[in-house]
Amino acid sequence: MGSLAVIEYLHGLDQDITLLINNLSNPATDQFWMFMSDKAVWIPAYILCAYFLFRRLGWKKALVVIISAGIAFALCDQLSNIVKHSVDRLRPSYDRRMLVEGLRVLERRGGFYGFFSAHAANAFAFVLCLIIGFRNDMEHNYLAFSISVLMWATLVAASRIFVGKHYFGDVLVGAIIGIIIGYACGKAARLIIKRFLEKKPVTAP
């Protein structure tokens, strides 16, 4: 099997998985997925997280963590735009087969290209920065918080399939990239905090 045949097979498999997931939704759950997919509705949650960062870490450490999350967001967005216009993979909402076979599109179709999902990348990058950032507070256990925000990121990523904007593969790759970028930015922030704000010797992770 040649490389082109492999790519076509994987694309077809991705289409099948996407249709299966997308059609699990129904009018009763559509509003939930549209809510999860809307970036604007999460602004108050971002502000609340920033508030607790400042309260638990102090303004200097919190500022470092917030800057790391901002950098992670910017990196995910820019990388997503570069890849989307390099790969030129149409969103499922523009694919004839997907529409004919019952893809449910709940939002405006957006730009033509969708690989990879910036929503998924941003959500997981933000979550990783938060999880690592709150670890600078040694007085509290943030396990429940970590599980909650990871679940939130997963739902945000999945919502992009349910609203018909992305393939499963777009979301999976976006989530992986977001985790990598978020982990790197979060660890960099933690290193800066330890070296310059806590003034403790830096040891290998």
Side-chain angles (χ1 to χ4, degrees), residues 90-99 103 105 108-113 164 167:
L90 286 176
R91 293 181 186 272
S93 53
Y94 288 100
D95 186 277
R96 177 177 172 79
R97 179 208 162 184
M98 299 296 287
L99 295 173
L103 180 77
V105 182
R108 293 178 59 184
R109 293 192 292 177
F112 286 112
Y113 307 120
Y167 289 106

Side-chain angles (χ1 to χ4, degrees), residues 56 134-135 137-147:
R56 294 293 174 86
F134 273 113
R135 287 180 183 172
D137 173 17
M138 306 303 293
E139 297 181 1
H140 298 86
N141 183 338
Y142 291 94
L143 179 60
F145 170 80
S146 299
I147 294 172

Side-chain angles (χ1 to χ4, degrees), residues 54-174:
F54 280 104
R55 182 170 179 176
R56 294 293 174 86
L57 304 182
W59 74 268
K60 291 182 180 178
K61 293 180 182 180
L63 189 59
V64 172
V65 174
I66 290 171
I67 290 173
S68 76
I71 292 172
F73 259 86
L75 289 174
C76 288
D77 269 339
Q78 292 305 310
L79 183 59
S80 174
N81 287 331
I82 291 171
V83 174
K84 281 176 182 175
H85 292 92
S86 299
V87 176
D88 290 348
R89 187 194 196 197
L90 286 176
R91 293 181 186 272
S93 53
Y94 288 100
D95 186 277
R96 177 177 172 79
R97 179 208 162 184
M98 299 296 287
L99 295 173
V100 168
E101 295 192 15
L103 180 77
R104 305 177 73 251
V105 182
L106 306 180
E107 294 183 350
R108 293 178 59 184
R109 293 192 292 177
F112 286 112
Y113 307 120
F115 183 83
F116 56 89
S117 169
H119 265 74
N122 285 335
F124 277 95
F126 175 70
V127 161
L128 263 291
C129 286
L130 279 186
I131 290 173
I132 296 171
F134 273 113
R135 287 180 183 172
N136 291 289
D137 173 17
M138 306 303 293
E139 297 181 1
H140 298 86
N141 183 338
Y142 291 94
L143 179 60
F145 170 80
S146 299
I147 294 172
S148 298
V149 292
L150 283 170
M151 289 177 60
W152 168 81
T154 301
L155 290 173
V156 168
S159 73
R160 305 303 286 167
I161 304 172
F162 285 108
V163 300
K165 295 290 284 288
H166 284 286
Y167 289 106
F168 170 77
D170 300 339
V171 168
L172 179 62
V173 172

Side-chain angles (χ1 to χ4, degrees), residues 166-189:
H166 284 286
Y167 289 106
F168 170 77
D170 300 339
V171 168
L172 179 62
V173 172
I176 292 171
I177 290 174
I179 289 170
I180 293 171
I181 291 177
Y183 181 83
C185 290
K187 282 294 187 180

